[in-house]
Amino acid sequence: MAQWIPEELLKNTSLIEQLADVAKDAALLQGVLMRIHESPNSSELVTYAPFTLFPSPVPKPVFLQALAVATHYNTLIDKISQDVDFLQEALASTIEVDDFTARLFKIHQLIQKEGRAQSIVLGLNRSDYMLDQREDGPLSLKQIEINTVAASFGGLTSRTPDVHRHILKVAGRLEESQAILDNNPAAGLAGAVAKAWELYGSQRAIVVFLVEESQRNVFDQRCIESELWKRNIASKRLRFDDVYKKGSLDQDKKLFIDGQEVAVVYFRNGYMPQNYVSEQTWDARLLIERSMAVKCPDISTHLAGTKKVQQVLARPGVLEKFFPEEPQAVELIRATFTGLYTLDMGPEGDQTVAMALAAPDRFVLKPQREGGGNNIYGEEICQVLQGVKSSTERMAYILMDKIHPTPIQNYLLRRDAPLTISNCLSELGVFGVYVRRGKDTVMNQCVGHLLRTKSSEHADGGVAAGVAVLDNPLLV
Ligand code: ADP
Ligand code: MG
C-alpha cells in the first residue's frame, strides 16, 4: 500500500502547522467532538475527537471485501446467539476460569430457562480488520474481532468525511478531496434501532441509551440519538443505577423506568467488569434481560461476540455448521480469519503454549475483555504464559496471529499532543445492523465504515483508550 501524500507536503512543517489549525477548526465545526477528560460529564469544555491530518490509503478491493462480508457476519452472530448448545460448548472452558464471562453466561442460562420475553432481536455490530502484508505475499483483509456490544464511533465518523475533504482542498489536493467517501453509520444504526422500536409497537415507549458513568464520548452517541429524534422517536440517556432504582416490569414483562415504557435498551455500557460496580448493576442488567424491551445486544448476542467464540469459529467445520447450504458465505467469512489458537487444557492447548513461547512476537495473547488495553504482546506473552501454562487459568485466554499492516506516515491530531510525524497503522471497521422478529429477518445491512489509525509504537488500539484516532479511507 503506497504512501500517497507527497514527501514535500509531509515535510513542509509550516504548511503542516497551518493545515493542522484548519483541520481542528473544521472538526469542531462539523461536530467531531469529545468532552475533555478533566470534566467528562459536562459540555462546558469540549475538544475535537482525535483524528488524522490526512486520510489513509486503503486498497479498493479489500475495502469492498470488508463491506461484502458484513451481512454474512450479521447472520453468523445472529445464528450463534440462538444456538444454546454451541455457546455452552464454546464457552465451557472460559467460564470455568473467567468470572466476568461466567457471570454473563449465568444470565444467559437463566433467560433460557425462564423463556425469552421478546422475540425481536436488534444487532448493531462492528467487525474490525487490519490489512495483513507479509513479505512478498498478497495483501489480505484479516479480522481483529467483531464487537457485538457498545461498538462505538459510528456517530463521529459520520462527520469526519467533510473534515478531510476540506483539509485536502486547502492543501490543494482537489482530486483526493473529491475521492473521500460518503459515510453515515449514524443514520444506519439509528435506522435499525427505529425498526426495532416500530416492531415493538408502542408510540409511547422510548429508546434508552444505557451509558457509562463517565461520558466523554457523549457526542458519538448524540449523533445516533439525534437521528432517532429526526424520526420522532424519543430517547433518554440512563445509567444502570437509574434502572436499578426506578425500573420495574409489569405483569406482561414490559419494562418501565420512572413510569416510562421502554421499547429498546441500547447498551453503551456493561461490556467490562468495571462497569458492574455492585450487585445492583448486575440486578439491573438482569431486569433488562428479563423484560419485553428489545435489547441491543441481548445477553446471548453479547456472548456471541467474545474472543473465545471467535477462536472456536476458526476451527475446521464450525462455520459450515452455521451455513450448511451457503458455501459462499463460509468462504467469504473464512477468508478474513487469521490463525486463532485454543489454550484449553490438553495437547492442542499445550502446543499453542509451546508455539507462543518459541516466537512471542508472532502472536497476540487475548483475555476475554473489551475496550482496549487488555491484550498482551511480545515478551510479556512469555511472562504471562510461564505463570499460567500448567493451570486452568490459561483457558481465560486465546492466542492469535499478529497481523502486520504496512505503516504509513501521517500526523495524528490530538489535544495537548505535539504535532509530529508518525509511522501509522490503520484498522478498518465495518458496521452491520440487523433486526429479526422470531424467524423473520426484517433487516440485514451494512451501514458504513470506520477507519482508525494509531502510531505503530502502540501494540494495542482504541480511540476511547487514547491510542487510535479517527481517519477516513482514501481508496487506491
Ligand atoms: P478490544 O476488545 O480490547 O478492542 P481487540 O481485539 O480489538 O480488543 O484488540 C485491541 C487492539 O489491539 C486492536 O485495535 C489492534 O490495534 C490490536 N490488535 C488486536 N489483535 C491484533 C492482531 N491479531 N494483530 C495485530 N494487532 C492486533
Ligand atoms: Mg477492538
Side-chain angles (χ1 to χ4, degrees):
M1 202 169 17
Q3 181 80 41
W4 74 271
I5 316 164
E7 189 87 347
E8 70 265 20
L9 175 56
L10 271 180
K11 299 283 157 64
N12 184 340
T13 35
S14 70
L15 180 59
I16 291 291
E17 276 168 22
Q18 285 172 35
L19 287 175
D21 283 342
V22 171
K24 290 172 195 175
D25 286 348
L28 293 169
L29 200 58
Q30 295 300 334
V32 185
L33 302 172
M34 252 186 184
R35 287 180 179 161
I36 60 172
H37 73 88
E38 295 89 334
S39 53
N41 291 330
S42 154
S43 286
E44 294 304 313
L45 290 172
V46 298
T47 184
Y48 53 91
F51 65 106
T52 57
L53 182 58
F54 298 112
S56 299
V58 173
K60 194 172 177 183
V62 279
F63 180 79
L64 295 179
Q65 186 191 349
L67 299 189
V69 73
T71 53
H72 297 299
Y73 266 119
N74 284 344
T75 306
L76 177 62
I77 291 293
D78 192 33
K79 286 185 182 204
I80 295 169
S81 79
Q82 297 170 76
D83 194 329
V84 184
D85 294 339
F86 174 79
L87 278 176
Q88 165 83 50
E89 210 175 301
L91 294 172
S93 58
T94 308
I95 60 179
E96 251 186 69
V97 288
D98 186 284
D99 293 342
F100 180 61
T101 313
R103 195 86 202 246
L104 295 172
F105 194 79
K106 249 171 84 179
I107 296 181
H108 159 78
Q109 274 184 312
L110 193 62
I111 300 298
Q112 286 307 322
K113 208 170 99 199
E114 292 179 359
R116 295 174 59 101
Q118 178 55 268
S119 69
I120 304 165
V121 173
L122 165 65
L124 306 182
N125 297 327
R126 199 191 69 218
S127 181
D128 292 334
Y129 307 91
M130 278 181 169
L131 305 184
D132 202 26
Q133 180 73 79
R134 301 294 165 97
E135 270 172 59
D136 305 328
L139 185 73
S140 55
L141 182 79
K142 292 296 172 195
Q143 187 183 51
I144 297 281
E145 64 158 348
I146 189 158
N147 301 283
T148 61
V149 56
S152 55
F153 293 104
L156 293 185
T157 203
S158 302
R159 289 157 185 257
T160 58
D162 279 338
V163 178
H164 275 150
R165 284 178 186 133
H166 183 68
I167 298 157
L168 291 170
K169 276 191 194 170
V170 176
R173 314 290 305 195
L174 188 60
E175 202 180 314
E176 286 88 355
S177 170
Q178 287 166 340
I180 298 289
L181 301 168
D182 285 334
N183 190 28
N184 196 354
L189 296 170
V193 175
K195 177 53 83 181
W197 176 86
E198 186 191 308
L199 292 176
Y200 181 90
S202 166
Q203 284 291 329
R204 287 184 313 275
I206 62 165
V207 174
V208 165
F209 281 55
L210 199 92
V211 299
E212 287 176 72
E213 275 313 308
S214 166
Q215 304 191 29
R216 269 199 82 193
N217 203 18
V218 61
F219 297 105
D220 181 50
Q221 299 157 7
R222 288 284 193 211
C223 293
I224 302 166
E225 286 177 60
S226 126
E227 289 290 338
L228 287 171
W229 283 103
K230 274 191 206 166
R231 294 164 166 86
N232 299 317
I233 298 173
S235 67
K236 211 167 177 177
R237 305 170 61 77
L238 295 175
R239 293 177 164 117
F240 272 124
D241 202 41
D242 300 308
V243 179
Y244 179 75
K245 288 194 177 126
K246 300 178 211 153
S248 61
L249 306 188
D250 75 359
Q251 72 269 29
D252 300 327
K253 296 196 181 174
K254 285 184 182 146
L255 176 63
F256 285 83
I257 303 175
D258 210 7
Q260 215 154 20
E261 185 177 351
V262 179
V264 179
V265 178
Y266 172 34
F267 287 94
R268 291 294 296 251
N269 187 12
Y271 54 90
M272 315 195 255
Q274 308 89 285
N275 299 149
Y276 296 82
V277 291
S278 67
E279 280 306 304
Q280 299 180 351
T281 325
W282 285 108
D283 289 348
R285 175 84 194 244
L286 182 58
L287 184 81
I288 297 168
E289 293 300 330
R290 279 178 161 152
S291 79
M292 272 258 297
V294 181
K295 286 126 316 237
C296 179
D298 61 25
I299 190 75
S300 39
T301 307
H302 183 165
L303 288 168
T306 51
K307 292 172 171 76
K308 183 64 192 179
V309 165
Q310 181 185 11
Q311 178 255 305
V312 173
L313 287 174
R315 298 181 78 91
V318 177
L319 281 180
E320 282 81 355
K321 188 177 149 284
F322 287 105
F323 295 98
E325 274 146 38
E326 289 168 89
Q328 209 205 339
V330 170
E331 204 180 306
L332 284 169
I333 294 172
R334 185 166 287 138
T336 66
F337 288 171
T338 188
L340 288 146
Y341 312 94
T342 181
L343 280 159
D344 287 358
M345 303 315 280
E348 205 185 333
D350 292 344
Q351 213 182 337
T352 304
V353 172
M355 188 172 75
L357 290 176
D361 287 331
R362 280 185 44 211
F363 303 102
V364 183
L365 184 64
K366 297 190 173 188
Q368 307 304 308
R369 291 291 174 272
E370 302 292 332
N374 300 298
N375 297 334
I376 298 157
Y377 303 85
E379 265 313 301
E380 212 192 328
I381 293 183
C382 299
Q383 287 165 25
V384 173
L385 283 184
Q386 288 296 358
V388 300
K389 69 177 184 190
S390 312
S391 79
T392 53
E393 269 179 80
R394 78 184 200 192
M395 306 191 303
Y397 299 89
I398 62 151
L399 190 77
M400 182 176 187
D401 281 346
K402 192 163 173 187
I403 303 167
H404 293 275
T406 310
I408 297 283
Q409 291 196 310
N410 206 334
Y411 289 87
L412 308 182
L413 305 181
R414 184 182 281 126
R415 172 183 178 240
D416 293 340
L419 186 64
T420 50
I421 197 160
S422 307
N423 266 330
C424 298
L425 306 178
S426 297
E427 183 169 343
L428 175 68
V430 175
F431 291 96
V433 303
Y434 60 92
V435 178
R436 174 169 55 80
R437 177 157 61 181
K439 288 191 163 45
D440 299 331
T441 299
V442 180
M443 182 186 273
N444 182 3
Q445 293 173 1
C446 170
V447 296
H449 57 269
L450 166 73
L451 195 72
R452 290 173 300 166
T453 293
K454 65 175 184 184
S455 160
S456 60
E457 291 157 26
H458 297 283
D460 220 73
V463 178
V467 174
V469 309
L470 302 174
D471 196 351
N472 275 291
L474 186 67
L475 299 190
V476 291

